[in-house]
Each structure stands twice: as structure tokens, then as C-alpha cells.
Amino acid sequence: MTKVYKLKQHVRIAMPWDDHYKYFSQSTGIPPHVINYQHFAEIKELIKKLPTQFEESLDARQFNGAISLPQMKELMKEAQSEQNAAMAADIATIKKAMEDGKLLSVDSSPDEEEDPDYGKQFDLHLHPDGTLRKVPPDWTFPMNQLQQMYQYWHCGNQLQKICPMKYFHSSDVSFLGDSTRIRLNEVKQLMEIIDKTASQNGAKPTKKMNMTSTNTCFLRGKVGLKIPTTTPTRRKRDIGRLKWSSAITYLPKASKKRRVD
């Protein structure tokens, strides 16, 4: 008994009616198993709603909220792919019409002799040495793609009021050095071959040409250069996008020795 009394001082004894809720649950009159069942029912209902909440969250991110960066890239890629396919189809249709001569008749363009105001849209440019030339002092020889160069050859640069390159003389480019006169000669050789072949294929170039008639002549005349349509790796080659400086390498060596007068 002595040990029991000694242990008593270390033991706290509490009764439900002593208001010690730390040791006893508050009395509500509801059986504990009923309260637990209610908690389980609420948890079950929350779990049932989770799939719907996930779907609503995903829908909101795609349509009503912020789109993630990967989703945005994918959407832009799909839109660009569709747009490129439509543009490629339109370009192919226009090229086919131009090659067939159904888009615009080249011979329908008025010749320069029938339009006395044609030359007024181009300027002569004064250079520091006091010489009037068809190009401005800051002009540099264009190293364009072949089709772009053909357009420059027949149409010039209307923004800078530079006449078609086919009217250039060696004196117009002499201020850039002897190498530029050689370049002019090489371009002239390429253009003459394209013009000759285009004429043989029913698209004769005229003195005054617009962009449409120029492109028609190019499409009918580029075969005269005899440039392979496939690369050494058997990939399709677009001759129009080939640099004119690369196209000149396909000419016979005898032709390259000519010079501009």
C-alpha cells in the first residue's frame, strides 16, 4: 500500500464531469460511430468530385486560362504548317499558269518605243568624278539569286530609280573596278541564254517588261542554262534560287572569256 500511495502523487485522476476535455470528448449525445460515418461520407463525396475538377482545370488552361509554352508552340506549328501548305499550292498553281502562258501573254506588254515616258522613271546619277552614270555612287554589284538577277536585268530597281541592268554599259560600273565589269559581262551571258531559250519556247522578252512577264520568260528560259535539276546528293535543285555567281560556273569555258565592250 505504501507504494500505491507514493505512485498517487504522480498520477492525475479526472472524471468526465470535471470539464477536462483534454482527456474526454465533449458529450453531444450522438454516438461516436455515427460521427465517424458522417466524416467518411464527406470524404467519399470529395473523392467523387476530383475527376470533374481535374477536367475543368484542364479545360480552363486550354480555353479560358493561360496556355502552357509547349501547347502554344504546337498550336503555332500547326497553324504555320497549314498556311505554308496553302501558300505552296497557290504558288504552284501560278507557276503552272505562267509556264503554260495562260496567266499573261508576254507579247501583250507595250514596248518601250511605244511608251515615250518609260525612261523618265529612271535617273542618271552624278558621281564625285563628275560622270553621270545609271547607278548612284553608293551602288554595289548585286549578288542575288538567279531569278532575282533576271528581274533586275529586265526591270531594274524602281525604288532607287535604276534602269534595267540590260541597259548598263561598262562605264556605268567602272568606278567599282575591273572585276565589276567582268561580273557585268558574266551576268549578260547568263541573261542572253535565258532570253534566247525563252524566245524559242514562245516567251520572247521585250524592251519594256513587268515582273510577271519577266518571271514567265525566266521559267521558260532557265532550261537553256543546262543546269542539273538535282544535286549530287539527289536532292531537287531550284535553279531560280541558285546564286548567279554559281550558275556562271555551269557555262562552257569558252563563253566565259567574252568581255563587255
Side-chain angles (χ1 to χ4, degrees):
M1 292 296 292
T2 304
K3 293 182 178 181
V4 173
Y5 284 110
K6 289 182 179 180
L7 184 61
K8 180 180 179 181
Q9 59 183 335
H10 300 289
V11 176
R12 179 174 181 79
I13 300 174
M15 298 297 177
W17 53 83
D18 291 339
D19 295 332
H20 290 288
Y21 294 112
K22 181 178 180 181
Y23 307 104
F24 300 96
S25 298
Q26 185 178 6
S27 179
T28 61
I30 301 175
H33 71 278
V34 175
I35 295 176
N36 292 336
Y37 178 82
Q38 178 63 28
H39 289 167
F40 294 151
E42 292 175 357
I43 294 173
K44 184 177 180 181
E45 190 65 25
L46 291 174
I47 293 175
K48 283 183 178 180
K49 293 180 180 179
L50 283 177
T52 303
Q53 292 175 354
F54 286 152
E55 292 177 358
E56 292 175 354
S57 178
L58 292 174
D59 290 341
R61 288 187 64 81
Q62 291 183 0
F63 300 104
N64 299 325
I67 301 177
S68 64
L69 183 58
Q71 290 174 330
M72 187 178 298
K73 288 182 177 179
E74 188 64 25
L75 291 173
M76 293 179 64
K77 184 177 179 181
E78 292 178 0
Q80 188 175 11
S81 177
E82 294 177 358
Q83 184 179 12
N84 290 343
M87 291 176 61
D90 292 340
I91 292 173
T93 302
I94 294 174
K95 278 189 174 181
K96 185 64 169 60
M98 292 173 67
E99 289 173 350
D100 295 341
K102 296 179 180 179
L103 187 63
L104 178 65
S105 174
V106 180
D107 294 335
S108 64
S109 299
D111 204 354
E112 182 187 8
E113 295 178 356
E114 300 176 1
D115 185 4
D117 295 329
Y118 174 70
K120 295 181 180 180
Q121 59 183 310
F122 308 117
D123 289 340
L124 287 176
H125 305 269
L126 181 63
H127 284 244
D129 61 357
T131 304
L132 289 174
R133 294 184 172 91
K134 296 183 178 69
V135 296
D138 59 349
W139 185 83
T140 57
F141 201 92
M143 303 301 292
N144 298 335
Q145 297 174 356
L146 185 58
Q147 186 168 0
Q148 294 174 340
M149 202 63 181
Y150 190 76
Q151 295 167 353
Y152 204 114
W153 182 260
H154 283 293
C155 299
N157 187 330
Q158 294 185 354
L159 292 178
Q160 296 184 352
K161 294 187 176 182
I162 299 176
C163 70
M165 188 176 283
K166 60 186 176 183
Y167 298 123
F168 282 16
H169 298 290
S170 59
S171 58
D172 292 315
V173 297
S174 60
F175 68 100
L176 294 175
D178 293 337
S179 61
T180 306
R181 290 189 291 181
I182 296 175
R183 289 177 180 175
L184 181 60
N185 175 61
E186 293 174 340
V187 171
K188 181 179 180 181
Q189 294 175 55
L190 290 170
M191 303 302 114
E192 287 178 346
I193 294 174
I194 298 174
D195 287 347
K196 181 179 179 181
T197 308
S199 299
Q200 294 172 351
N201 292 332
K204 183 180 180 181
T206 58
K207 292 184 178 180
K208 177 187 176 183
M209 297 178 65
N210 54 36
M211 199 64 70
T212 303
S213 59
T214 301
N215 289 333
T216 300
C217 289
F218 179 81
L219 291 174
R220 296 195 187 184
K222 62 182 180 180
V223 295
L225 297 175
K226 301 186 186 320
I227 298 176
T229 56
T230 56
T231 64
T233 57
R234 297 189 179 279
R235 295 179 59 186
K236 187 176 180 181
R237 174 186 282 131
D238 187 348
I239 298 177
R241 298 182 64 180
L242 193 69
K243 292 286 187 180
W244 73 262
S245 55
S246 299
I248 196 69
T249 61
Y250 290 92
L251 292 184
K253 293 184 178 180
S255 300
K256 299 179 185 178
K257 295 180 180 179
R258 297 172 52 197
R259 292 291 181 267
V260 175
D261 296 333

